[in-house]
Amino acid sequence: MTMTEVMKTAAAGGRSRGPTAPVPGPEHPGDGTPTAAPAPAPAPGGRISVAVYAEDLILQTGMVHQLRLRPEIELIPEEEADRAQVSLVVVDMVNEPAVQLLHRLQRNTSTRTGLVVGFFETGALQTLIEYGVAAVLRRGEADQDRLVHLVTALAKGEGVLPGDLLGKLLSHVSSLHRTVLDPRGLSLSTLTAREAEMIRLVSEGYGTAEIAQKTSYSERTVKNVLHEVATRLELRNRAHAVGYAMRHGLI
């Protein structure tokens, strides 16, 4: 059964045995697919619990063989895959079946997802961001040590990207900021450009009337903006707002 067929079965609510099973073989029976679950308990002895998903049996077997040799890794049987700390997806490229799988894994908030991919198109970067993929490794570079490094980083809440993809990610964020956010007076932070400017002026000791004069807004607008920030971020007063913005590098 192809991964496309498995994904169609999953979308229909069914359960199917297929090559996306995390660990094949008689010692890892089961025919379920991972679903959202409570936060997993740590693996015995501090080992990292890993569920492997691959689009064909060859990729599956190779990945499992690499990880099974490492004592710090606990491979999770299919019927328990929802308790894995790390979900490792192995594909040739980020195609529609792979996207469906990533979307399904995203629903399980107790696991972090890494991707081992053969061919990576630049356009797939946005998809990975949207579906919460925190680490990427090219299959040609996926030796045992790099795989364990990726899994360990995911378990620690860290991210892993090849250097060229990191550069593309930064360029993508810059482009997003320039073409989408800036024209609307927004930013990637929790504050808009207008909110940050007003809080900066508060931090410099200006009152409402002075802020209104400097920003060319009415006093009522200044009060409303500062009140909205305080409410949204659950801040007690203007001093608290200034402290919050400074601690988070927003001003």
Side-chain angles (χ1 to χ4, degrees), residues 90-91 107 113 124 154 165 167 210 218:
V90 190
V91 295
R107 298 171 186 164
T113 301
L154 285 169
L165 291 187
E210 294 170 306
S218 68

Side-chain angles (χ1 to χ4, degrees), residues 1-11 13-22 30-34 78 104:
M1 179 178 291
T2 66
M3 189 161 74
T4 302
E5 292 170 328
V6 172
M7 290 298 96
K8 288 180 179 178
T9 301
R15 301 168 68 86
S16 171
R17 182 184 301 277
T20 54
D31 58 0
T33 54
E78 184 178 1
R104 181 162 62 88

Side-chain angles (χ1 to χ4, degrees), residues 8-251:
K8 288 180 179 178
T9 301
R15 301 168 68 86
S16 171
R17 182 184 301 277
T20 54
V23 184
E27 72 273 32
H28 296 287
D31 58 0
T33 54
T35 56
R47 297 160 71 201
I48 302 169
S49 54
V50 180
V52 176
Y53 301 80
E55 63 184 348
D56 62 54
L57 188 58
I58 294 176
L59 292 178
Q60 180 79 29
T61 303
M63 192 60 53
V64 167
H65 176 72
Q66 292 269 50
L67 294 175
R68 181 179 285 143
L69 300 174
R70 299 296 291 253
E72 59 265 64
I73 303 297
E74 180 202 12
L75 288 170
I76 299 297
E78 184 178 1
E79 70 274 13
E80 299 177 20
D82 55 358
R83 73 176 179 87
Q85 294 169 268
V86 173
S87 293
L88 198 57
V89 176
V90 190
V91 295
D92 283 322
M93 62 185 300
V94 183
N95 53 18
E96 184 59 31
V99 170
Q100 292 178 20
L101 175 57
L102 293 174
H103 179 59
R104 181 162 62 88
L105 292 174
Q106 188 184 34
R107 298 171 186 164
N108 183 356
T109 57
S110 66
T111 186
R112 301 191 77 227
T113 301
L115 179 72
V116 180
V117 62
F119 174 72
F120 190 90
E121 295 179 326
T122 303
L125 194 58
Q126 179 67 35
T127 300
L128 300 190
I129 295 171
E130 290 176 358
Y131 290 107
V133 175
V136 178
L137 182 63
R138 288 191 171 90
R139 270 179 35 209
E141 302 171 349
D143 59 26
Q144 189 178 112
D145 288 338
R146 287 191 177 96
L147 285 170
V148 172
H149 171 72
L150 180 144
V151 167
T152 302
L154 285 169
K156 291 179 178 179
E158 300 171 356
V160 177
L161 278 179
D164 63 311
L165 291 187
L166 179 58
K168 291 175 182 177
L169 175 60
L170 294 176
S171 296
H172 176 77
V173 172
S174 177
S175 175
L176 176 66
H177 206 294
R178 184 175 60 255
T179 61
V180 178
L181 299 181
D182 283 348
R184 294 169 172 79
L186 303 174
S187 72
L188 291 173
S189 72
T190 52
L191 300 178
T192 67
R194 181 173 70 170
E195 291 169 345
E197 173 65 9
M198 289 186 182
I199 291 179
R200 183 184 65 79
L201 291 171
V202 170
S203 73
E204 295 175 0
Y206 292 106
T208 300
E210 294 170 306
I211 294 174
Q213 183 179 12
K214 286 183 174 293
T215 58
S216 299
Y217 289 107
S218 68
E219 291 186 35
R220 181 175 181 179
T221 296
V222 172
K223 291 179 181 179
N224 287 341
V225 168
L226 294 176
H227 176 74
E228 200 282 327
V229 170
T231 301
R232 187 174 75 242
L233 301 180
E234 298 182 349
L235 305 171
R236 294 186 296 276
N237 48 45
R238 293 188 179 188
H240 192 190
V242 169
Y244 175 94
M246 294 181 68
R247 284 196 306 274
H248 291 81
L250 302 178
I251 60 173

